[in-house]
Amino acid sequence: MTETELVFALAALREAGPDAQDRIEHASVATDELVTQIAALGLSVVSQPNFVAERGDAYLADIAPGEWSHLYRLRSFLAAGVPLAGGTDTPFGMADPWAAMAAAVTRRTAAGVPLSLHEALTPEEALGLFLADPMALSRQRTVAVGAPADLCLLTQDWEVVRADLGDARVAATIVGGRCVHQDPAPATPRSGD
């Protein structure tokens, strides 16, 4: 969504009266004023932080430097109290949520150029982008008795994975209690196991 498209979308939502489930997808370009308007309207944002890594070099070549700080903002939305979730925009972006989380933390292009490092998130905040409840982005999904078993089990402890989210290895993915992915390689036992 371009800045112009975001301006029109916000005007339409303001005119119609925003609903609690209204959200802005992408918010690719958001000035400080637009971030403030999104927060004032009580909207949520679903961002695709992977585009910083996947398309960042093209952005740096094609977009005026004065606008770089407005691209795929994360920290600014959180600071403004905007509920924030993440996606990959597959098939237009790579389908790897771990690469998207890594991009949210490093804010580096494929060539390694930093892009608006002030928008970077901690590994925990980046993970939180993908734990947002799709029906209420301000709520985080958790593992709880009686809740649907929607889980991603990793081959390593979080303390190891958080150091390099892009290198996370998934042992199994369970959706609605059904295993939809299992790593064929056996898990490496931890010391003491």
Side-chain angles (χ1 to χ4, degrees), residues 52-54 56-57 60 108-114:
V52 169
E54 294 173 26
D57 294 310
L60 294 174
R108 294 193 178 273
T109 70
V113 179

Coordinates of all heavy atoms in Angstrom, one line a residue, residues 52-54 56-57 60 108-114:
V52 N 11.6 -5.9 3.8 CA 12.9 -5.2 4.0 C 14.1 -6.0 3.5 O 14.9 -5.5 2.8 CB 13.0 -4.8 5.5 CG1 14.4 -4.3 5.8 CG2 12.0 -3.8 5.9
A53 N 14.1 -7.3 3.8 CA 15.2 -8.1 3.4 C 15.1 -8.5 1.9 O 16.0 -8.5 1.2 CB 15.2 -9.4 4.2
E54 N 13.8 -8.8 1.5 CA 13.6 -9.3 0.1 C 13.7 -8.2 -0.9 O 14.1 -8.4 -2.0 CB 12.3 -10.0 0.0 CG 12.3 -11.3 0.8 CD 10.9 -11.9 0.8 OE1 10.1 -11.7 -0.1 OE2 10.6 -12.7 1.8
G56 N 14.4 -4.7 0.0 CA 15.0 -3.5 0.5 C 16.1 -2.8 -0.4 O 16.1 -1.6 -0.5
D57 N 16.9 -3.6 -1.1 CA 17.9 -3.0 -2.0 C 17.2 -2.2 -3.1 O 17.6 -1.1 -3.5 CB 18.8 -4.1 -2.5 CG 19.6 -4.7 -1.4 OD1 20.3 -3.9 -0.7 OD2 19.7 -5.9 -1.3
L60 N 15.9 1.0 -1.7 CA 17.0 2.0 -1.5 C 17.3 2.7 -2.8 O 17.7 3.8 -2.9 CB 18.2 1.4 -0.9 CG 18.0 0.9 0.6 CD1 19.2 0.1 1.0 CD2 17.7 2.1 1.5
R108 N 17.8 -5.4 7.8 CA 18.9 -5.4 6.7 C 18.3 -5.9 5.4 O 17.6 -6.9 5.4 CB 20.1 -6.1 7.2 CG 20.7 -5.5 8.4 CD 22.1 -6.0 8.7 NE 22.7 -5.3 9.8 CZ 23.3 -4.2 9.8 NH1 23.5 -3.6 8.6 NH2 23.8 -3.6 10.8
T109 N 18.8 -5.3 4.3 CA 18.5 -5.7 3.0 C 19.2 -7.0 2.7 O 20.1 -7.4 3.4 CB 18.8 -4.7 2.0 OG1 20.2 -4.5 1.8 CG2 18.2 -3.3 2.3
A110 N 19.0 -7.6 1.5 CA 19.7 -8.8 1.1 C 21.2 -8.5 1.0 O 22.0 -9.4 1.3 CB 19.1 -9.3 -0.2
A111 N 21.5 -7.3 0.6 CA 22.9 -6.9 0.5 C 23.6 -6.5 1.8 O 24.7 -6.2 1.9 CB 23.1 -5.8 -0.5
G112 N 22.8 -6.6 2.9 CA 23.3 -6.3 4.3 C 23.2 -4.8 4.7 O 23.7 -4.4 5.7
V113 N 22.5 -4.0 3.9 CA 22.4 -2.6 4.2 C 21.3 -2.3 5.2 O 20.2 -2.8 5.0 CB 22.1 -1.8 2.9 CG1 22.0 -0.3 3.2 CG2 23.2 -2.0 1.8
P114 N 21.6 -1.6 6.3 CA 20.6 -1.4 7.3 C 19.5 -0.4 6.7 O 19.8 0.5 6.0 CB 21.3 -0.7 8.4 CG 22.7 -0.3 7.9 CD 22.9 -1.1 6.7

